[in-house]
Amino acid sequence: MAKIDRHRVVAECAVMEINTFWHVIEAAQAGAAATGEPFDEVLVKQLADRPRQEILEYAERFDELHDSLYRWDVWAAAYLIGGGCSDDSFMDFRTGVIALGCQWYERVADAPDSLAAHPDVVQAASVRDHSEVLFYEDMNYAAGGAFERITGNADAFYEAWRSFRGADSASDKAVDMGEDFDFDDDREMSRRLPRLAALFLGTSP
């Protein structure tokens, strides 16, 4: 019998889990487009139709993807698009990037300046108050909303999450955010994010 490569199997399972996560997001996008309901509400309904274990796994994948965008260059993109960006707003911005789906998420993770090509961002650049584009606070609570929908208990998700994650639920591991730089330095922003700076600062790309 051929020896099974355990590390390869684990890696493939992880990929399948991420693919399943993106399928959930894309199904909610399709549902929102078909019904006209807000994306986060459709997402909650669809998650509530899944086993509780799968909702917890969704939340785990969400956190991993969310944390991976915790970088200075992504924050700078949020700062330009939002006309400023606090810590809390940056949480909502990263959630908004996830809501765009797998392809856009990967583009942003690779190069945040690629958001200059997204139609919502292009449109927002011409609007005086563009602080809401890609900032999606309500999606942060989708897993909790699904648990509440199933159980009627607003705290049910957090109780299940503590049991699901155990001691790993809080991590003290240092985060590498990349190189810090001054978001209020237009020349530096233009150098690092030329296309977004052209849209929102009027600089040459």
Side-chain angles (χ1 to χ4, degrees), residues 18 30-32 38 41 47 51 65 72 80 91 98 112 121 125 138-139 146 165 169 184 186 189 192 201:
I18 290 296
E41 294 181 13
L47 285 173
L65 292 164
W72 290 116
L80 286 172
M91 290 180 61
I98 294 172
V121 174
D138 289 342
M139 187 188 165
R165 292 302 303 272
S169 59
D184 291 317
D186 288 358
M189 293 289 266
R192 293 175 182 265
L201 299 177

Side-chain angles (χ1 to χ4, degrees), residues 12-42:
E12 288 179 355
C13 288
V15 170
M16 288 175 65
E17 289 176 358
I18 290 296
N19 287 344
T20 300
F21 174 91
W22 288 121
H23 175 74
V24 170
I25 298 298
E26 289 160 8
Q29 288 174 334
T35 63
E37 294 179 81
F39 167 77
D40 62 282
E41 294 181 13
V42 175

Side-chain angles (χ1 to χ4, degrees), residues 1-149:
M1 180 182 295
K3 184 178 180 181
I4 296 174
D5 185 338
R6 177 178 174 276
H7 296 290
R8 178 180 61 80
V9 171
V10 170
E12 288 179 355
C13 288
V15 170
M16 288 175 65
E17 289 176 358
I18 290 296
N19 287 344
T20 300
F21 174 91
W22 288 121
H23 175 74
V24 170
I25 298 298
E26 289 160 8
Q29 288 174 334
T35 63
E37 294 179 81
F39 167 77
D40 62 282
E41 294 181 13
V42 175
L43 178 60
V44 168
K45 290 178 183 178
Q46 293 190 358
L47 285 173
D49 287 336
R50 291 174 172 266
R52 299 183 193 188
Q53 177 72 15
E54 289 188 17
I55 300 172
L56 293 167
E57 290 171 358
Y58 160 90
E60 188 173 45
R61 298 289 83 74
F62 176 89
D63 283 355
E64 290 171 358
L65 292 164
H66 195 261
D67 291 348
S68 291
L69 292 179
Y70 191 65
R71 301 179 350 215
W72 290 116
D73 57 348
V74 179
W75 202 332
Y79 193 88
L80 286 172
I81 293 170
C85 184
S86 66
D87 292 6
D88 287 345
S89 292
F90 187 40
M91 290 180 61
D92 300 340
F93 180 84
R94 288 177 282 149
T95 300
V97 172
I98 294 172
L100 296 178
C102 182
Q103 291 185 354
W104 271 105
Y105 178 91
E106 290 180 351
R107 289 178 67 178
V108 174
D110 182 59
D113 200 35
S114 65
L115 279 169
H118 193 280
D120 290 346
V121 174
V122 173
Q123 182 178 15
S126 63
V127 179
R128 182 177 297 274
D129 182 10
H130 48 76
S131 59
E132 296 300 316
V133 67
L134 297 191
F135 292 79
Y136 210 149
E137 180 181 5
D138 289 342
M139 187 188 165
N140 285 309
Y141 314 116
F147 259 80
E148 183 174 4
R149 191 179 183 89

